[in-house]
């Protein structure tokens, strides 16, 4: 089904929802993806960065752990996420006094020009109706020359072996639904264009690939468990929107179990990490 037309000013729906199961999933996800997402970030000697779409503080904890001189301002529009982030970061010793939580819409930041010396975005642009506007806002609040890092999905890259048609059909429904509610599951491929249009320079995009097979069975199993959680996190919304039937969700679960038991299974997925300067 073709995606519905969405006005740029429309607030996009949020595919994953805000349940406590989903909030825990975001923290597990951040830990599983940490080696790829946080490898060689350009935030050394930075003092105050803005994290846009900070969710439950999962990435904030990692940023504060890896960059001990940094303070992070977390921008998040959901009060549920912010309340959970507050609870979580209060339990993280190295976060004490080093973060600020701001209930803000990334499309209209309240901060003055040149308020920050770095920006970090992770899995947010895929959920907003006007990602160009978010990046323009990010540039406005950065000092000239400050680095921005954006991590984004490229859902066309997902592949599983043994061939899993129910899972791929569910994945199509997941992506169609995200498009319909105003997001973009393929936005990773567009980060170069978007950053350029927002006036950033020295733009570099890196394809980050998870390719798990018999060379790393432990990581493959861990990743498949994470991916199964990710797929199922969309199920309530997809069932409610009548994009999938319960039987199809069960058929996908059976396939994923089968992939997990197969001694020769293969998992492949790529996302894009973009670096640029304001
Ligand atoms: C998939 S979560 C990722 C959270 C975090 N970056 C992480 O990696 O764990 C996306 C977050 O972006 C937030 N979000 C979506 N649209 C937003 C907007 N317009 N302004 C601020 N936050 C937004 C959602 O509420 C959600 O918490």
């Amino acid at each position: 089904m073709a995606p519905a037309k969405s006005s740029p000013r429309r607030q996009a729906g949020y595919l994953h929802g805000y349940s406590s199961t989903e909030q825990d999933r975001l923290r597990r996800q951040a830990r599983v993806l940490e080696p790829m997402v946080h490898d060689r970030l350009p935030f050394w000697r930075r003092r105050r960065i803005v994290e846009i779409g900070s969710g439950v503080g999962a990435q904030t904890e990692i940023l504060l752990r890896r960059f001990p001189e940094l303070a992070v301002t977390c921008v998040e529009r959901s009060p549920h996420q912010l309340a959970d982030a507050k609870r979580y970061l209060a339990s993280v010793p190295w976060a004490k006094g080093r973060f600020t939580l701001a209930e803000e819409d990334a499309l209209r930041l309240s901060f003055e020009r040149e308020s920050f010396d770095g920006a970090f975005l992770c899995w947010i642009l895929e959920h907003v109706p006007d990602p160009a506007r978010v990046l323009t806002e990010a540039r406005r609040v950065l000092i000239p020359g400050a680095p921005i890092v954006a991590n984004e999905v490229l859902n066309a890259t997902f592949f599983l072996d043994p061939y899993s048609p129910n899972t791929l059909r569910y994945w199509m429904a997941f992506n169609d639904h995200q498009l319909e509610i105003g997001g973009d599951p393929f936005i990773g491929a567009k980060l170069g264009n978007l950053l350029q249009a927002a006036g950033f320079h020295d733009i570099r995009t890196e394809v980050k690939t998870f390719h798990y097979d018999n060379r790393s069975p432990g990581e493959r199993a861990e990743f498949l468990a994470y991916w199964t959680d990710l797929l199922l996190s969309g199920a309530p919304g997809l069932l409610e929107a009548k994009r999938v039937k319960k039987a199809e969700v069960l058929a996908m679960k059976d396939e994923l179990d089968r992939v997990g038991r197969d001694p020769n299974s293969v998992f492949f997925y790529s996302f894009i990490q973009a670096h640029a300067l304001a």
Side-chain angles (χ1 to χ4, degrees):
M1 186 171 149
K5 289 203 177 77
S6 61
S7 123
R9 292 196 186 282
R10 198 180 107 192
Q11 185 90 295
Y14 183 53
L15 180 72
H16 304 288
Y18 296 110
S19 68
S20 59
T21 315
E22 169 57 17
Q23 291 175 328
D24 290 342
R25 186 193 72 78
L26 281 176
R27 275 186 281 270
R28 281 198 306 282
Q29 168 174 271
R31 277 192 291 273
V32 171
L33 304 184
E34 177 176 344
M36 286 271 198
V37 169
H38 289 268
D39 184 32
R40 286 175 289 148
L41 293 186
F43 297 137
W44 290 107
R45 290 186 292 283
R46 300 284 136 186
R47 295 288 171 181
R48 49 185 206 292
I49 70 163
V50 61
E51 183 189 349
I52 301 177
S54 51
V56 298
Q59 309 291 352
T60 321
E61 176 276 310
I62 300 172
L63 289 166
L64 293 173
R65 167 158 46 83
R66 290 183 167 236
F67 298 98
E69 293 180 352
L70 206 58
V72 179
T73 296
C74 301
V75 167
E76 168 57 55
R77 76 166 184 212
S78 156
H80 302 289
Q81 302 291 72
L82 286 167
D84 196 65
K86 187 173 175 190
R87 222 173 6 251
Y88 172 57
L89 293 172
S91 73
V92 172
W94 51 91
K96 198 169 186 310
R98 297 175 55 211
F99 67 92
T100 308
L101 301 175
E103 186 179 332
E104 299 241 350
D105 185 346
L107 295 159
R108 278 170 289 274
L109 297 178
S110 67
F111 310 108
E112 299 287 318
R113 296 178 64 79
E114 302 184 15
S115 296
F116 301 100
D117 61 5
F120 179 80
L121 292 79
C122 199
W123 327 130
I124 175 186
L125 295 175
E126 58 168 309
H127 295 296
V128 294
D130 190 353
R133 169 96 178 250
V134 173
L135 292 175
T136 303
E137 277 293 85
R139 180 157 173 268
R140 182 181 66 76
V141 301
L142 285 175
I143 59 172
I148 183 171
V149 176
N151 300 277
E152 275 308 334
V153 295
L154 183 47
N155 285 357
T157 61
F158 174 41
F159 173 75
L160 267 186
D161 191 76
Y163 180 60
S164 304
N166 290 300
T167 306
L168 293 179
R169 265 194 292 278
Y170 177 96
W171 189 233
M172 282 283 287
F174 186 102
N175 293 321
D176 283 349
H177 185 60
Q178 188 168 6
L179 283 162
E180 185 170 274
I181 62 179
D184 184 348
F186 311 111
I187 194 162
K190 306 170 194 173
L191 286 177
N193 284 350
L194 286 164
L195 285 161
Q196 197 175 52
F200 286 93
H201 60 93
D202 286 29
I203 301 164
R204 186 166 59 78
T205 53
E206 207 176 316
V207 180
K208 301 255 185 177
T209 297
F210 303 97
H211 184 188
Y212 294 125
D213 56 20
N214 294 350
R215 291 169 292 177
S216 51
E219 279 169 292
R220 178 178 58 192
E222 183 189 52
F223 208 87
L224 189 65
Y226 150 65
W227 198 261
T228 302
D229 277 358
L230 171 74
L231 289 170
L232 292 174
S233 72
L238 294 177
L239 287 165
E240 198 186 326
K242 301 201 181 336
R243 285 215 169 253
V244 296
K245 297 196 172 80
K246 213 167 180 174
E248 291 168 329
V249 178
L250 294 174
M252 173 180 75
K253 277 188 181 164
D254 283 349
E255 274 180 2
L256 292 168
D257 283 348
R258 187 166 56 92
V259 172
R261 286 192 307 274
D262 190 296
N264 293 312
S265 63
V266 179
F267 179 97
F268 188 98
Y269 181 76
S270 295
F271 72 93
I272 309 295
Q273 184 174 77
H275 291 233
L277 300 178

